[in-house]
Amino acid sequence: NIEIDNTKKVIVEAMIGLAHKMRLAVTAEGIENREQFELLKDYHCDKVQGYFFSIPVSAEEIDKIIVKQKHLF
């Protein structure tokens, strides 16, 4: 619930900032809605994943999805 909890927002932003200062890439997991995605984008999170984008799928299925929706990538 980072999109509604100010304390969590501050913690997430600080964690992303610290990781970037250490030259680490940050992947956020469990993104469930646009508000969470937009917040993480604003914090310059490197990668995101979660149900907002897709249910879990096999490697073969993700290949099909990427080919089908290549205009998004």
Side-chain angles (χ1 to χ4, degrees):
N1 296 333
I2 62 169
E3 73 278 13
I4 58 174
D5 186 326
N6 285 328
T7 301
K8 290 178 182 176
K9 285 181 188 178
V10 171
I11 292 169
V12 169
E13 184 177 23
M15 290 172 61
I16 292 170
L18 178 61
H20 285 164
K21 286 183 182 197
M22 297 172 65
R23 299 177 191 249
L24 298 172
V26 178
T27 301
E29 298 181 346
I31 308 308
E32 296 179 354
N33 58 54
R34 177 163 297 284
E35 292 81 13
Q36 292 172 346
F37 172 64
E38 294 295 335
L39 186 65
L40 289 162
K41 189 167 66 170
D42 290 345
Y43 292 163
H44 306 286
C45 187
D46 301 295
K47 297 177 183 177
V48 292
Q49 65 183 38
Y51 280 96
F52 178 65
F53 305 100
S54 174
I55 60 170
V57 295
S58 67
E60 295 82 17
E61 188 64 26
I62 198 68
D63 286 340
K64 292 176 189 175
I65 292 169
I66 290 171
V67 168
K68 188 175 181 180
Q69 299 181 4
K70 63 183 175 183
H71 66 281
L72 298 175
F73 297 95

XYZ file of all heavy atoms in Angstrom:
593
model
N 0.813 -1.205 0.000
C 0.000 0.000 0.000
C 0.855 1.267 0.000
O 0.512 2.245 0.645
C -0.951 0.008 1.189
C -1.953 -1.105 1.148
O -2.303 -1.598 0.083
N -2.416 -1.546 2.296
N 1.964 1.243 -0.738
C 2.837 2.412 -0.734
C 2.159 3.653 -1.289
O 2.553 4.761 -0.958
C 4.155 2.159 -1.499
C 3.898 1.854 -2.971
C 4.975 1.092 -0.841
C 5.143 1.864 -3.823
N 1.134 3.469 -2.108
C 0.478 4.621 -2.710
C -0.379 5.404 -1.708
O -0.736 6.552 -1.967
C -0.347 4.204 -3.934
C -1.623 3.462 -3.634
C -1.478 1.970 -3.372
O -0.359 1.468 -3.172
O -2.512 1.299 -3.366
N -0.680 4.823 -0.540
C -1.522 5.514 0.436
C -0.859 5.691 1.807
O -1.364 6.431 2.637
C -2.881 4.791 0.620
C -2.681 3.344 1.067
C -3.704 4.851 -0.637
C -3.971 2.614 1.408
N 0.271 5.058 2.039
C 0.947 5.121 3.336
C 2.228 5.951 3.200
O 3.208 5.508 2.599
C 1.261 3.701 3.808
C 1.835 3.652 5.203
O 2.576 4.589 5.592
O 1.566 2.667 5.917
N 2.216 7.163 3.770
C 3.356 8.067 3.624
C 4.646 7.500 4.200
O 5.723 7.739 3.645
C 3.047 9.434 4.240
C 2.103 10.232 3.372
O 2.107 10.114 2.151
N 1.289 11.050 4.007
N 4.555 6.783 5.305
C 5.761 6.191 5.890
C 6.381 5.186 4.922
O 7.599 5.173 4.721
C 5.425 5.507 7.234
O 4.884 6.484 8.118
C 6.660 4.878 7.850
N 5.541 4.360 4.305
C 6.054 3.384 3.335
C 6.638 4.073 2.111
O 7.643 3.624 1.561
C 4.950 2.407 2.932
C 4.573 1.463 4.049
C 3.453 0.531 3.653
C 3.077 -0.355 4.828
N 1.939 -1.213 4.535
N 6.027 5.177 1.681
C 6.565 5.934 0.548
C 7.994 6.389 0.832
O 8.886 6.241 0.000
C 5.711 7.167 0.255
C 4.420 6.897 -0.421
C 3.690 8.207 -0.664
C 2.300 7.985 -1.178
N 1.571 9.231 -1.383
N 8.194 6.949 2.013
C 9.513 7.453 2.396
C 10.532 6.311 2.444
O 11.659 6.443 1.961
C 9.448 8.196 3.749
C 10.835 8.539 4.262
C 8.601 9.451 3.619
N 10.136 5.189 3.012
C 11.037 4.042 3.113
C 11.406 3.522 1.723
O 12.580 3.275 1.430
C 10.412 2.924 3.978
C 10.328 3.385 5.432
C 11.209 1.626 3.860
C 9.499 2.488 6.333
N 10.419 3.362 0.843
C 10.677 2.853 -0.501
C 11.576 3.813 -1.279
O 12.539 3.394 -1.926
C 9.354 2.597 -1.260
C 9.597 2.340 -2.731
C 8.621 1.428 -0.627
N 11.292 5.096 -1.200
C 12.120 6.077 -1.906
C 13.564 6.046 -1.394
O 14.518 6.084 -2.175
C 11.533 7.481 -1.750
C 12.286 8.531 -2.545
C 11.664 9.900 -2.440
O 10.935 10.181 -1.458
O 11.911 10.703 -3.357
N 13.736 5.936 -0.084
C 15.077 5.881 0.506
C 15.810 4.607 0.084
O 17.016 4.646 -0.220
C 14.978 5.958 2.033
N 15.106 3.491 0.060
C 15.735 2.226 -0.343
C 16.194 2.274 -1.797
O 17.298 1.824 -2.124
C 14.766 1.064 -0.132
C 14.507 0.762 1.328
S 13.193 -0.450 1.586
C 13.841 -1.869 0.760
N 15.361 2.828 -2.667
C 15.738 2.937 -4.073
C 16.929 3.879 -4.218
O 17.892 3.579 -4.928
C 14.535 3.407 -4.925
C 13.471 2.317 -4.961
C 14.989 3.782 -6.338
C 12.141 2.749 -5.577
N 16.897 4.993 -3.513
C 18.010 5.940 -3.562
C 19.304 5.333 -3.061
O 20.372 5.516 -3.681
N 19.240 4.606 -1.970
C 20.432 3.957 -1.420
C 20.985 2.917 -2.390
O 22.200 2.871 -2.637
C 20.108 3.298 -0.074
C 21.241 2.539 0.601
C 22.412 3.459 0.901
C 20.732 1.872 1.874
N 20.121 2.111 -2.942
C 20.570 1.095 -3.902
C 21.234 1.748 -5.100
O 22.291 1.287 -5.566
C 19.388 0.237 -4.351
N 20.665 2.817 -5.611
C 21.260 3.494 -6.763
C 22.612 4.107 -6.412
O 23.530 4.072 -7.235
C 20.308 4.555 -7.303
C 19.164 3.974 -8.064
N 18.038 4.693 -8.357
C 18.957 2.737 -8.587
C 17.199 3.935 -9.050
N 17.734 2.734 -9.178
N 22.754 4.648 -5.204
C 24.052 5.189 -4.781
C 25.103 4.088 -4.699
O 26.294 4.340 -4.865
C 23.929 5.919 -3.450
C 23.231 7.245 -3.605
C 23.170 8.003 -2.307
C 22.407 9.296 -2.563
N 22.602 10.267 -1.540
N 24.651 2.858 -4.468
C 25.561 1.712 -4.422
C 25.727 1.083 -5.808
O 26.328 0.034 -5.950
C 25.029 0.678 -3.423
C 24.976 1.199 -2.005
S 24.143 0.067 -0.870
C 25.252 -1.325 -0.897
N 25.151 1.742 -6.825
C 25.192 1.294 -8.212
C 24.502 -0.063 -8.415
O 24.957 -0.908 -9.188
C 26.620 1.269 -8.743
C 27.264 2.628 -8.721
C 28.697 2.574 -9.179
N 29.342 3.834 -8.894
C 29.718 4.696 -9.820
N 29.516 4.439 -11.084
N 30.309 5.806 -9.483
N 23.412 -0.253 -7.691
C 22.609 -1.467 -7.811
C 21.318 -1.143 -8.552
O 20.773 -0.050 -8.408
C 22.263 -2.024 -6.428
C 23.432 -2.453 -5.552
C 22.938 -2.787 -4.153
C 24.154 -3.634 -6.178
N 20.839 -2.076 -9.321
C 19.542 -1.944 -9.967
C 18.462 -2.396 -8.989
O 18.686 -3.283 -8.169
C 19.481 -2.785 -11.242
N 17.297 -1.795 -9.091
C 16.194 -2.091 -8.175
C 15.025 -2.694 -8.952
O 14.589 -2.126 -9.954
C 15.722 -0.818 -7.453
C 14.550 -1.127 -6.532
C 16.865 -0.179 -6.688
N 14.538 -3.836 -8.476
C 13.342 -4.461 -9.039
C 12.277 -4.506 -7.953
O 12.494 -5.083 -6.890
C 13.631 -5.892 -9.527
O 14.658 -5.853 -10.515
C 12.380 -6.533 -10.101
N 11.140 -3.887 -8.230
C 10.013 -3.922 -7.292
C 9.075 -5.039 -7.715
O 8.726 -5.160 -8.884
C 9.281 -2.588 -7.295
N 8.665 -5.840 -6.766
C 7.752 -6.947 -7.028
C 6.404 -6.665 -6.380
O 6.310 -5.920 -5.421
C 8.325 -8.239 -6.455
C 9.646 -8.641 -7.083
C 10.179 -9.938 -6.508
O 9.689 -10.391 -5.453
O 11.091 -10.490 -7.117
N 5.380 -7.277 -6.925
C 4.058 -7.181 -6.318
C 3.289 -5.926 -6.689
O 2.421 -5.496 -5.934
N 3.581 -5.338 -7.850
C 2.856 -4.144 -8.286
C 1.439 -4.570 -8.676
O 1.266 -5.418 -9.544
C 3.554 -3.463 -9.484
C 5.036 -3.222 -9.178
C 2.834 -2.172 -9.854
C 5.321 -2.515 -7.898
N 0.450 -3.975 -8.026
C -0.937 -4.390 -8.225
C -1.819 -3.330 -8.871
O -2.928 -3.634 -9.292
C -1.541 -4.807 -6.892
C -0.850 -6.022 -6.305
C -1.430 -6.433 -4.969
O -2.293 -5.707 -4.430
O -1.024 -7.483 -4.460
N -1.340 -2.077 -8.945
C -2.191 -1.041 -9.532
C -1.350 0.080 -10.143
O -0.146 0.162 -9.925
C -3.182 -0.488 -8.503
C -2.494 0.087 -7.290
O -1.620 0.938 -7.401
N -2.890 -0.373 -6.108
N -2.007 0.926 -10.933
C -1.326 2.013 -11.639
C -0.673 2.995 -10.671
O 0.410 3.510 -10.944
C -2.288 2.757 -12.553
C -1.629 3.941 -13.258
C -2.367 4.452 -14.444
N -2.511 3.518 -15.532
C -1.551 3.171 -16.402
N -0.354 3.676 -16.274
N -1.802 2.320 -17.371
N -1.312 3.273 -9.538
C -0.762 4.225 -8.573
C 0.597 3.749 -8.046
O 1.534 4.543 -7.936
C -1.742 4.446 -7.413
C -3.010 5.163 -7.822
C -4.057 4.254 -8.462
O -3.936 3.006 -8.380
O -5.002 4.798 -9.059
N 0.702 2.466 -7.730
C 1.983 1.917 -7.279
C 3.020 2.019 -8.387
O 4.167 2.427 -8.143
C 1.820 0.456 -6.856
C 0.996 0.270 -5.617
C 0.680 -1.196 -5.338
O 0.854 -2.070 -6.184
N 0.192 -1.467 -4.140
N 2.625 1.671 -9.610
C 3.541 1.736 -10.737
C 4.028 3.164 -10.963
O 5.236 3.400 -11.114
C 2.857 1.202 -11.996
C 3.656 1.403 -13.245
C 4.882 0.787 -13.408
C 3.177 2.211 -14.263
C 5.624 0.975 -14.568
C 3.905 2.406 -15.417
C 5.133 1.787 -15.572
N 3.128 4.124 -10.966
C 3.510 5.517 -11.206
C 4.439 6.044 -10.110
O 5.396 6.766 -10.392
C 2.266 6.406 -11.323
C 1.406 6.127 -12.531
C 2.099 6.441 -13.859
O 3.016 7.280 -13.892
O 1.702 5.831 -14.873
N 4.165 5.678 -8.868
C 5.008 6.100 -7.760
C 6.424 5.549 -7.920
O 7.413 6.285 -7.790
C 4.405 5.646 -6.431
C 5.098 6.129 -5.173
C 4.988 7.643 -5.058
C 4.486 5.466 -3.958
N 6.530 4.272 -8.240
C 7.849 3.659 -8.426
C 8.565 4.246 -9.638
O 9.787 4.414 -9.619
C 7.714 2.145 -8.534
C 7.332 1.486 -7.206
C 6.798 0.089 -7.437
C 8.499 1.487 -6.242
N 7.812 4.572 -10.659
C 8.409 5.229 -11.831
C 8.968 6.599 -11.427
O 10.077 6.958 -11.814
C 7.362 5.351 -12.934
C 7.915 5.823 -14.251
C 6.944 5.635 -15.397
C 5.726 6.503 -15.259
N 4.877 6.533 -16.463
N 8.219 7.344 -10.624
C 8.678 8.644 -10.138
C 9.943 8.521 -9.292
O 10.771 9.429 -9.265
C 7.591 9.339 -9.321
C 6.415 9.810 -10.155
O 6.539 9.867 -11.409
O 5.361 10.118 -9.563
N 10.077 7.396 -8.583
C 11.256 7.154 -7.750
C 12.409 6.538 -8.547
O 13.433 6.185 -7.987
C 10.912 6.238 -6.573
C 9.989 6.845 -5.540
C 9.342 6.030 -4.638
C 9.756 8.205 -5.470
C 8.488 6.555 -3.677
C 8.903 8.742 -4.517
C 8.279 7.909 -3.623
O 7.435 8.432 -2.671
N 12.227 6.387 -9.842
C 13.244 5.846 -10.757
C 13.607 4.397 -10.457
O 14.771 3.991 -10.571
C 14.504 6.730 -10.760
C 14.201 8.159 -11.065
N 13.883 8.591 -12.329
C 14.116 9.250 -10.259
C 13.642 9.890 -12.293
N 13.765 10.312 -11.058
N 12.609 3.610 -10.078
C 12.812 2.177 -9.894
C 13.145 1.579 -11.259
O 12.532 1.925 -12.266
C 11.539 1.552 -9.331
S 11.731 -0.163 -8.867
N 14.139 0.701 -11.302
C 14.651 0.192 -12.576
C 13.714 -0.801 -13.256
O 13.539 -0.762 -14.476
C 16.023 -0.454 -12.361
C 17.003 0.543 -11.787
O 17.322 1.512 -12.486
O 17.420 0.360 -10.622
N 13.140 -1.704 -12.491
C 12.261 -2.735 -13.054
C 11.114 -2.982 -12.091
O 11.263 -2.830 -10.883
C 13.024 -4.041 -13.273
C 14.158 -3.940 -14.267
C 14.902 -5.247 -14.373
C 16.094 -5.084 -15.322
N 16.878 -6.309 -15.397
N 9.983 -3.377 -12.651
C 8.818 -3.699 -11.834
C 8.146 -4.949 -12.380
O 8.262 -5.264 -13.567
C 7.806 -2.534 -11.799
C 8.360 -1.340 -11.060
C 7.382 -2.131 -13.195
N 7.453 -5.637 -11.497
C 6.677 -6.803 -11.922
C 5.528 -6.999 -10.956
O 5.564 -6.523 -9.832
C 7.541 -8.054 -12.000
C 8.097 -8.524 -10.665
C 8.992 -9.728 -10.824
O 9.738 -9.836 -11.774
N 8.915 -10.637 -9.880
N 4.503 -7.657 -11.426
C 3.365 -7.930 -10.570
C 2.093 -8.122 -11.367
O 2.083 -8.053 -12.598
N 1.016 -8.364 -10.657
C -0.276 -8.649 -11.276
C -0.816 -7.487 -12.102
O -1.656 -7.676 -12.964
C -1.304 -9.054 -10.220
C -1.165 -10.492 -9.799
C -0.439 -10.839 -8.675
C -1.770 -11.503 -10.535
C -0.307 -12.167 -8.290
C -1.647 -12.832 -10.167
C -0.914 -13.154 -9.042
O -0.792 -14.458 -8.671
N -0.338 -6.271 -11.843
C -0.763 -5.133 -12.661
C -0.394 -5.362 -14.120
O -1.100 -4.926 -15.022
C -0.121 -3.843 -12.147
C -0.453 -2.630 -12.961
C -1.756 -2.154 -13.026
C 0.520 -1.953 -13.666
C -2.067 -1.028 -13.779
C 0.216 -0.837 -14.418
C -1.081 -0.367 -14.476
N 0.695 -6.069 -14.353
C 1.182 -6.315 -15.706
C 0.734 -7.661 -16.250
O 0.410 -7.779 -17.423
C 2.714 -6.221 -15.743
C 3.211 -4.919 -15.212
C 3.696 -4.819 -13.928
C 3.147 -3.781 -15.988
C 4.134 -3.604 -13.431
C 3.578 -2.559 -15.502
C 4.066 -2.476 -14.214
N 0.754 -8.694 -15.409
C 0.401 -10.031 -15.875
C 0.318 -10.997 -14.700
O 1.041 -10.843 -13.717
C 1.461 -10.534 -16.861
O 1.215 -11.876 -17.225
N -0.511 -12.003 -14.858
C -0.478 -13.112 -13.919
C 0.813 -13.894 -14.202
O 1.399 -13.739 -15.275
C -1.715 -14.019 -14.077
C -1.780 -14.612 -15.496
C -2.986 -13.273 -13.739
C -2.823 -15.693 -15.666
N 1.297 -14.717 -13.292
C 2.479 -15.517 -13.572
C 2.250 -16.420 -14.786
O 1.192 -17.029 -14.925
C 2.665 -16.357 -12.296
C 1.970 -15.572 -11.227
C 0.813 -14.906 -11.913
N 3.242 -16.457 -15.687
C 3.158 -17.285 -16.888
C 4.481 -18.000 -17.113
O 5.523 -17.592 -16.611
C 2.792 -16.456 -18.144
C 1.404 -15.862 -18.025
C 3.806 -15.363 -18.389
N 4.435 -19.052 -17.899
C 5.645 -19.807 -18.224
C 6.530 -19.009 -19.180
O 6.081 -18.041 -19.810
C 5.272 -21.138 -18.876
O 4.692 -20.883 -20.149
N 7.774 -19.433 -19.327
C 8.704 -18.779 -20.258
C 8.169 -18.831 -21.682
O 8.269 -17.859 -22.439
C 10.072 -19.439 -20.173
N 7.569 -19.946 -22.055
C 7.023 -20.078 -23.408
C 5.874 -19.088 -23.625
O 5.757 -18.474 -24.682
C 6.531 -21.509 -23.668
C 7.628 -22.552 -23.672
C 8.040 -23.018 -22.273
O 7.284 -22.791 -21.291
O 9.144 -23.574 -22.149
N 5.045 -18.950 -22.632
C 3.897 -18.042 -22.743
C 4.348 -16.580 -22.804
O 3.786 -15.792 -23.558
C 2.928 -18.257 -21.584
C 1.630 -17.508 -21.723
C 0.780 -17.949 -22.904
O 0.897 -19.107 -23.352
O -0.012 -17.134 -23.397
N 5.360 -16.224 -22.041
C 5.825 -14.834 -22.066
C 6.414 -14.493 -23.422
O 6.256 -13.372 -23.914
C 6.807 -14.520 -20.914
C 6.922 -12.997 -20.695
C 8.179 -15.069 -21.158
C 5.707 -12.348 -20.166
N 7.071 -15.446 -24.058
C 7.574 -15.210 -25.423
C 6.432 -14.862 -26.366
O 6.534 -13.935 -27.172
C 8.329 -16.434 -25.949
C 9.693 -16.596 -25.320
O 10.223 -15.605 -24.769
O 10.241 -17.713 -25.398
N 5.342 -15.589 -26.259
C 4.169 -15.323 -27.108
C 3.590 -13.938 -26.818
O 3.205 -13.214 -27.733
C 3.094 -16.393 -26.887
C 3.481 -17.761 -27.383
C 2.392 -18.771 -27.034
C 2.843 -20.191 -27.319
N 1.842 -21.180 -26.880
N 3.528 -13.584 -25.548
C 2.989 -12.283 -25.165
C 3.864 -11.155 -25.718
O 3.352 -10.167 -26.259
C 2.864 -12.179 -23.634
C 1.774 -13.126 -23.125
C 2.571 -10.742 -23.200
C 1.748 -13.281 -21.618
N 5.165 -11.311 -25.606
C 6.082 -10.273 -26.089
C 5.952 -10.100 -27.598
O 5.890 -8.976 -28.100
C 7.531 -10.588 -25.678
C 7.667 -10.410 -24.163
C 8.515 -9.688 -26.420
C 8.977 -10.886 -23.597
N 5.903 -11.200 -28.328
C 5.756 -11.116 -29.778
C 4.431 -10.439 -30.134
O 4.377 -9.563 -31.004
C 5.856 -12.520 -30.421
C 5.426 -12.484 -31.872
C 7.272 -13.056 -30.286
N 3.375 -10.821 -29.447
C 2.041 -10.283 -29.723
C 1.951 -8.786 -29.401
O 1.260 -8.040 -30.085
C 1.006 -11.068 -28.918
C -0.425 -10.759 -29.249
C -1.342 -11.689 -28.471
C -2.792 -11.433 -28.783
N -3.674 -12.331 -28.022
N 2.661 -8.360 -28.355
C 2.562 -6.974 -27.904
C 3.895 -6.243 -28.033
O 4.213 -5.379 -27.218
C 2.050 -6.936 -26.467
C 0.677 -7.543 -26.326
C 0.169 -7.490 -24.904
O 0.787 -6.945 -24.010
N -1.005 -8.035 -24.687
N 4.677 -6.558 -29.040
C 6.022 -5.992 -29.185
C 6.007 -4.467 -29.264
O 6.985 -3.817 -28.918
C 6.750 -6.596 -30.370
C 6.119 -6.320 -31.703
C 6.884 -7.026 -32.803
C 6.134 -6.817 -34.121
N 6.781 -7.540 -35.193
N 4.905 -3.877 -29.687
C 4.829 -2.426 -29.772
C 4.909 -1.756 -28.385
O 5.207 -0.583 -28.285
C 3.532 -2.010 -30.479
C 2.288 -2.352 -29.724
N 1.746 -3.635 -29.721
C 1.486 -1.602 -28.932
C 0.660 -3.635 -28.977
N 0.481 -2.432 -28.488
N 4.671 -2.515 -27.330
C 4.745 -1.967 -25.981
C 6.170 -1.968 -25.415
O 6.452 -1.290 -24.445
C 3.838 -2.773 -25.029
C 2.354 -2.754 -25.357
C 1.610 -3.696 -24.412
C 1.806 -1.348 -25.262
N 7.043 -2.747 -26.028
C 8.389 -2.912 -25.477
C 9.373 -2.068 -26.194
O 9.838 -1.971 -27.093
C 8.796 -4.387 -25.481
C 7.926 -5.221 -24.612
C 6.838 -5.904 -25.136
C 8.146 -5.311 -23.255
C 6.013 -6.680 -24.337
C 7.336 -6.070 -22.447
C 6.270 -6.764 -22.998
